[in-house]
């Protein structure tokens, strides 16, 4: 690129505006983080995401099989650069040991939902059948309500919820997705000692 | 079992009788009233025989870290520390007048010495008073350990007297923070806090310690450095640049015709001044610096080009806007440096070196990212890049020199008197620089005074310009100068402060006297929140709401504190006033009555680009 000063150039050949980080196409990303199992670590992660203006879609936290390690699955929308920035910000936390964006990798992804549906004598049979057909499981039956469980990818859970919505949802809870990369690679094993 | 309303109320207020929890709460409540606290019953003469408690472990740990001074203020829950501090005469304790002053003093000490600064406060209001100082240190990556006491652990979460969730408050503005409820954890926590504060990208660490932990008897031993590092698997700063990226950078540098080096605070943190100079000399490229990058290179060096950004020199911003390559090291493309990113350095490819990976690609997209310590990266990269002889750069460097002559000679600067006949601030700053042989430490406050200092004092050494850059904290200068003066007694320390900022932390004048800290205060009294007035004049059509500011008779104020002072109102007074302050053995104050009409130019209005500098306003005399 030619290197003349701004002033030396006629306005019509002005260079294109510098692109802003984070201005690209937004899509769903899944970050997997291994963190130290210390009090307050969830607060640190969620506080950082809030302060840095990243909006978390869902966050699932659990122990791992290793003492001292917890695992988080963070789902968020953003362009690739913004999400990379989120991952780098997470690394600034002392308790964060490893972060991977597994969005582009082959993964197994699963979410669990519990749904409490309104039922009547008249439609109970139909509802139970629909739950079964839609690959749900009935966990509790009361005279005027049932609790169904469904698990699968987010899209599968979405589809199930759409099917049963017509019966009247009294309560719904979803765990948020948990994911794991396919193959032999292990984020836990990748944590530096 | 169903409870009646009354039952439930009673049960929720009281832990079941006879349980350990109940005993702990009862003990804690007694301690809050200062009854029967562990060591207060020990007469002074018998201190040597007393048991070792958490507060001792804290002092031992501080001494092991090489701490020589701490800036602190006592209060109920941290009194166990003050009860034993007398046994550690090697730990100098400066009793500040406000915890914010303590935090800024620790910050000033850290910036001037490169060591970790330490401040201490009590729970609740003591802790919240520290917050502004911790935030100031965070935004400028200053190594600091802030220690607070908290209520006894059994009372945490009960809204006990002076309890506030200070850990929750400092969490987003520290590099890391801790709550310690057990004295046995103190050795590890304090060692980790110092390690984290000073390693990689430095920053403040907050350690909150419950009162019972400070009083707890303990035989805990201190960890070795290796144990500390091993205990922090999530903290392994990258020091050396990636070799492949360094090669790419070398190729980019070889191809560049109009490179500009952007030097930031990271150069000072890494102690990379010599490496920076060697690098610049090898490729014959000019060095521009950020506010906190002042001192990265001696301003007299032929390749030292100048201060960039919102109130930077026009020639510097011009060079950046016409550069074909920016080599940024230890700086973070703050909005005060770039202005509108869309129009920033439109012809330039960017190589960005920083120890914090999160800084790279945060504000501007870059072509060559290099994560690493500035000193190590520059030392490795310099021999890898093709040397560019002066002849090849001659036309470029000549053009830069011409731009520099033009902008330095412009009308907004140079005369001692402003158009209204009153003192002009830039002149005063220049004289302070001259009369101190540019060998002092100059601590700026915030506002116009800060920008005049940055532009006109003439800096030669690293860590001799201290300024709250990121947070822009008014009231910073006087307490920070206090810390700097204690840390570097061999340099004359000047606080350059506006009348607004001075009135925010002037209580520390008494600390200067009580602790005999020889800070020279240059009070720039324009009877205005000058920078506010400037923005209102230029951006808000001259609506000067709240810009006018009254002040006391500063000579009387200084006298009341026992500080020698003098007033200078004309250019002819300036040198004599500065010399007067220099001659005082101890703190001194010079009241510069300056014009309230002068603006700092050039100025890039917020949101505009570096090419949109306002250079003058109205017609100068
Ligand atoms: C604690 C704090 N409050 C408010 C501001 C906003 N502010 C920036 S500059 C300024 C005016 C400073 O006035 P003064 O200290 O007299 O310095 P001058 O600009 O006149 O040199 C203000 C109010 C700030 N930076 N810090
Ligand atoms: Mg002022």
């Amino acid at each position: 690129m030619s290197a003349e000063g701004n002033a030396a150039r006629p306005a019509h050949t002005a260079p294109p505006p510098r692109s802003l980080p984070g201005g690209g196409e937004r899509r769903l990303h899944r970050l997997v983080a291994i963190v130290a199992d210390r009090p307050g670590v969830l607060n640190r992660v969620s506080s950082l995401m809030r302060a840095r203006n990243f909006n978390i879609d869902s966050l699932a936290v659990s122990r791992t099989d290793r003492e001292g390690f917890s695992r988080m699955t963070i789902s968020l929308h953003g362009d690739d650069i913004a999400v990379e920035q989120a991952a780098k910000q997470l690394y600034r936390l002392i308790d964060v040991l490893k972060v991977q964006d597994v969005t582009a990798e082959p993964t197994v992804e699963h979410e669990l939902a519990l749904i409490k549906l309104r039922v009547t004598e008249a439609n109970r049979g139909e509802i139970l059948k629909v739950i079964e057909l839609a690959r749900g499981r009935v966990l509790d039956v009361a005279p005027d309500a049932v609790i169904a469980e469904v698990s699968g990818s987010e899209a599968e859970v979405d589809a199930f919820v759409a099917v049963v919505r017509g019966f009247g949802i009294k309560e719904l809870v979803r765990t948020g997705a948990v994911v794991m990369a396919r193959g032999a690679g292990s984020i836990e094993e990748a944590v530096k000692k | 079992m169903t409870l009646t309303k009354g039952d439930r109320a009673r049960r929720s207020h009281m832990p079941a009788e006879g349980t350990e929890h109940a005993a702990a709460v009862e003990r804690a409540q007694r301690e809050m009233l200062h009854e029967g606290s562990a060591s207060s019953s020990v007469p002074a003469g018998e201190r040597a025989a007393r048991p070792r408690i958490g507060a001792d472990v804290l002092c031992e740990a501080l001494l092991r870290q090489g701490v020589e001074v701490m800036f602190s203020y006592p209060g109920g829950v941290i009194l166990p520390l003050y009860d034993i501090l007398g046994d550690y005469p090697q730990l100098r304790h400066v009793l500040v007048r406000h915890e914010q002053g303590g935090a800024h003093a620790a910050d000033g000490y850290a910036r001037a010495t490169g060591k970790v600064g330490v401040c201490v406060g009590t729970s609740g209001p003591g802790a919240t008073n520290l917050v502004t100082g911790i935030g100031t240190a965070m935004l400028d990556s200053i190594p600091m350990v802030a220690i607070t006491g908290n209520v006894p652990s059994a009372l945490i979460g009960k809204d006990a007297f002076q309890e506030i969730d200070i850990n929750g408050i400092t969490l987003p503005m520290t590099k890391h923070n801790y709550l310690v409820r057990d004295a046995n954890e103190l050795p590890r926590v304090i060692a980790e806090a110092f390690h984290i504060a000073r390693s990689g990208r430095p920053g403040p660490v907050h350690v909150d310690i419950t009162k019972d932990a400070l009083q707890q008897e303990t035989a805990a031993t201190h960890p070795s450095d290796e144990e500390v590092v091993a205990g922090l698997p999530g903290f392994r700063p990258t020091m050396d640049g990636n070799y492949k990226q360094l090669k790419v950078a070398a190729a980019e540098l070889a191809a560049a015709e109009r490179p500009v080096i952007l030097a930031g605070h990271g150069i000072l943190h890494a102690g990379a001044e010599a490496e920076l100079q060697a690098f610049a000399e090898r490729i014959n490229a000019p060095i521009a610096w950020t506010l906190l990058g002042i001192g990265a290179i001696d301003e007299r060096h032929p390749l030292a080009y100048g201060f960039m950004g919102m109130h930077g020199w026009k020639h510097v911003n011009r060079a950046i806007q016409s550069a074909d390559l920016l080599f940024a090291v230890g700086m973070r493309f703050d909005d005060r440096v770039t202005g509108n990113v869309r129009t920033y350095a439109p012809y330039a490819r960017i190589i960005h070196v920083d120890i914090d990976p999160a800084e790279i690609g945060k504000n501007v997209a870059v072509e060559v990212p290099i994560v690493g310590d500035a000193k190590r990266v520059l030392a490795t990269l310099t021999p890898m890049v093709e040397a560019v002889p002066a002849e090849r750069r001659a036309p470029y460097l000549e053009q830069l020199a011409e731009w520099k002559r033009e902008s330095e000679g412009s009308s907004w600067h140079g005369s001692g008197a402003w158009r209204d006949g009153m003192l002009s601030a830039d002149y005063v700053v220049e004289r302070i620089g001259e009369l101190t042989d540019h060998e002092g430490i100059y601590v700026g406050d915030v506002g116009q005074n800060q920008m005049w200092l940055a532009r006109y004092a003439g800096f030669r050494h690293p860590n001799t310009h201290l300024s709250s850059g990121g947070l822009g904290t008014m009231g910073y200068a006087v307490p920070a100068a206090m810390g700097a003066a204690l840390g570097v007694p061999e340099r004359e320390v000047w606080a350059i402060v506006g009348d607004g900022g001075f009135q925010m932390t002037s209580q520390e004048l008494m600390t200067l006297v009580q602790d005999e800290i020889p800070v020279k205060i240059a009070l720039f009294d324009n009877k205005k929140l000058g920078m506010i007035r400037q923005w209102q004049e230029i951006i808000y059509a001259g609506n000067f709401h709240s810009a006018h500011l009254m002040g006391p008779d500063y000579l009387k104020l200084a006298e009341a504190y026992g500080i020698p002072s003098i007033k200078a109102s004309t250019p002819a007074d300036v040198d004599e006033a500065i010399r007067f302050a220099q001659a005082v053995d101890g703190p001194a104050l010079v009241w510069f009555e300056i014009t309230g009409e002068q603006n700092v130019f050039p100025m890039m209005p917020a949101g505009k680009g570096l090419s949109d500098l306002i250079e003058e306003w109205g017609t100068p005399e």
Side-chain angles (χ1 to χ4, degrees), chain B residues 304-344:
Chain B
Y305 200 52
F307 170 47
M308 67 176 94
M310 179 177 270
H311 288 290
W313 292 92
K314 183 185 175 189
H315 59 269
V316 179
N317 291 333
R318 212 168 159 182
I320 291 169
Q321 289 304 80
S322 72
D324 65 352
L325 180 70
L326 296 179
F327 183 89
V329 49
M331 56 84 75
R332 57 186 173 90
F333 293 101
D334 179 81
D335 54 275
R336 281 334 195 223
V337 152
T338 61
N340 185 346
V341 175
R342 300 290 255 174
T343 58
Y344 179 69

Side-chain angles (χ1 to χ4, degrees), chain B residues 363-609:
Chain B
N363 292 339
V364 300
V366 306
E367 276 72 25
V368 188
I370 299 175
V371 177
D373 171 75
K375 191 182 180 86
R376 304 255 281 259
V377 169
L378 286 172
T380 315
L381 181 59
T382 303
M384 290 171 68
V385 300
E386 190 185 305
V388 178
E391 311 83 70
R392 190 182 131 199
R393 284 274 194 261
Y396 174 49
L397 292 178
E398 269 159 31
Q399 175 170 52
L400 291 185
E402 190 191 313
W403 287 352
K404 188 171 184 176
R405 274 193 301 277
E406 222 175 89
S407 95
E408 285 185 342
S410 56
S411 56
W412 62 76
H413 153 236
S415 73
W418 188 244
R419 25 180 124 127
D420 55 6
M422 296 199 50
L423 251 183
S424 81
D426 50 332
Y427 175 75
V428 178
V429 166
E430 269 186 356
R431 294 313 300 160
I432 292 173
E434 276 296 301
L435 294 181
T436 53
D437 295 327
H438 308 271
E439 293 294 333
I441 291 178
Y442 311 87
V443 188
D445 206 74
V446 169
Q448 293 184 319
N449 60 86
Q450 180 182 32
M451 293 300 125
W452 280 312
L453 176 67
R455 290 172 58 88
Y456 299 113
F459 295 94
R460 299 189 177 170
H461 308 287
N463 309 326
T464 60
H465 168 256
L466 278 46
S467 192
S468 167
L471 201 63
T473 310
M474 281 172 69
Y476 173 79
V478 170
M482 188 159 91
L486 282 180
V488 188
E490 57 280 14
R491 288 199 188 271
E492 195 170 286
V493 177
W494 280 80
I496 311 304
V497 55
D499 49 327
F502 180 78
Q503 291 186 70
M504 281 198 174
T505 50
S506 62
Q507 75 283 347
E508 301 306 336
L509 292 180
M510 205 64 235
T511 315
L512 296 179
V513 174
Q514 181 168 349
D515 278 78
E516 302 177 354
I517 307 173
V519 169
K520 315 296 176 188
I521 298 166
L523 172 60
F524 281 47
D525 179 21
N526 49 12
K527 302 188 171 50
K528 298 276 186 307
L529 297 174
M531 192 57 94
I532 297 298
R533 199 210 68 91
Q534 173 164 348
W535 282 47
Q536 288 173 331
E537 180 179 344
I538 294 169
I539 302 164
Y540 293 93
N543 180 4
F544 295 124
H545 195 286
S546 299
H548 177 72
L549 184 73
M550 284 171 70
D553 178 331
Y554 294 103
L555 296 180
K556 280 197 185 145
L557 183 83
E559 190 190 349
Y561 281 106
I563 293 182
S565 62
I566 191 169
K567 181 165 161 180
S569 308
T570 69
D573 300 340
V574 170
D575 281 18
E576 191 194 325
I578 295 169
R579 291 211 174 92
F580 164 86
Q582 290 182 299
V584 172
D585 181 19
L589 182 144
V590 187
W591 178 8
F592 292 106
E593 260 193 326
I594 59 171
T595 175
E597 307 288 308
Q598 190 179 6
N599 291 329
V600 187
F601 286 125
M603 168 186 185
M604 171 182 62
K608 289 278 172 58

Side-chain angles (χ1 to χ4, degrees), chain B residues 256-300:
Chain B
E257 289 300 323
R258 305 172 69 85
V260 177
I261 299 167
L262 309 179
H265 201 186
I267 297 286
L268 281 66
H269 280 313
E273 298 82 12
E275 288 76 8
L276 174 73
Q277 184 176 327
F279 173 75
E281 286 169 356
R282 184 161 174 93
I283 61 168
N284 263 298
I287 301 173
W289 50 84
T290 64
L291 180 69
L292 298 189
I294 287 174
I297 179 102
D298 186 328
E299 290 188 13
R300 293 167 302 174

